[in-house]
Amino acid sequence: MQKRNKMKCPACGFSDSKVIDSRPVEEGNSIRRRRECPACQKRFTTFEILETVPIIVVKKNGSKELFDRSKLLTGLLKACQKRPVNAEEIATEIENEIQNSLSPEITTGEIGELVMKHLKQRDEVAYVRFASVYREFKDIETFLAELKQLKGDE
């Protein structure tokens, strides 16, 4: 039995349609549905996509901007360069965590800590690379202290 959904027919305006076929598109991020109007038998296609809430990033200076995945990915790619780590996968995981938090705002510090957590779990070298920039190591002593802490966590 086909599902009936309240979707207005674009041909005759009838306020009901039945779904004939559904299939995921764009790597499962949306669904394509073929529908048929029971009144005029015209067929049409609709797309269902996941609605995401725009995330506002609060920067260190207090200014705000929309979350930009490409900035996150750029930092991850630099840290993971020539390392056996999938930066795209980590970026997706972090972006999902941020979306799932349901908070409309996140600080750059919170994003940095999420990146550090994910990198620490996967690759110590990528973690230290990212930490050296993120924590703004001023000298070798600060760098060595971070390495000692990393070795102590094992």
Side-chain angles (χ1 to χ4, degrees), residues 6 27 31-32 41 47 64 66 69 74 76 87 97 100-101 110 118 124 126 133-134 136 140 145:
K6 297 287 182 183
E27 298 175 10
I31 297 174
R32 176 186 179 272
Q41 277 68 52
F47 290 89
K64 297 179 179 185
L66 284 175
R69 177 191 166 87
T74 298
L76 283 165
E97 270 187 62
N100 291 337
S101 75
E110 291 169 317
H118 282 267
E124 292 174 345
V133 175
Y134 173 68
E136 300 173 347
I140 193 72

Side-chain angles (χ1 to χ4, degrees), residues 43-60:
R43 291 186 175 188
F44 57 100
T45 303
T46 60
F47 290 89
E48 182 179 310
I49 60 168
L50 179 66
E51 184 176 36
T52 57
V53 177
I55 301 294
I56 304 298
V57 177
V58 181
K59 298 171 80 171
K60 287 180 185 176

Side-chain angles (χ1 to χ4, degrees), residues 58-71:
V58 181
K59 298 171 80 171
K60 287 180 185 176
N61 66 8
S63 66
K64 297 179 179 185
E65 64 181 44
L66 284 175
F67 175 77
D68 184 354
R69 177 191 166 87
S70 66
K71 288 184 178 182

Side-chain angles (χ1 to χ4, degrees), residues 79 83 85 119-131 147 150-151 153-154:
R83 300 300 304 160
V85 179
L119 288 176
K120 193 173 192 177
Q121 293 169 354
R122 289 202 173 75
D123 188 90
E124 292 174 345
V125 172
Y127 167 80
V128 171
R129 282 179 182 169
F130 186 84
L147 287 175
L150 183 62
K151 288 300 275 179
D153 286 351
E154 290 179 2

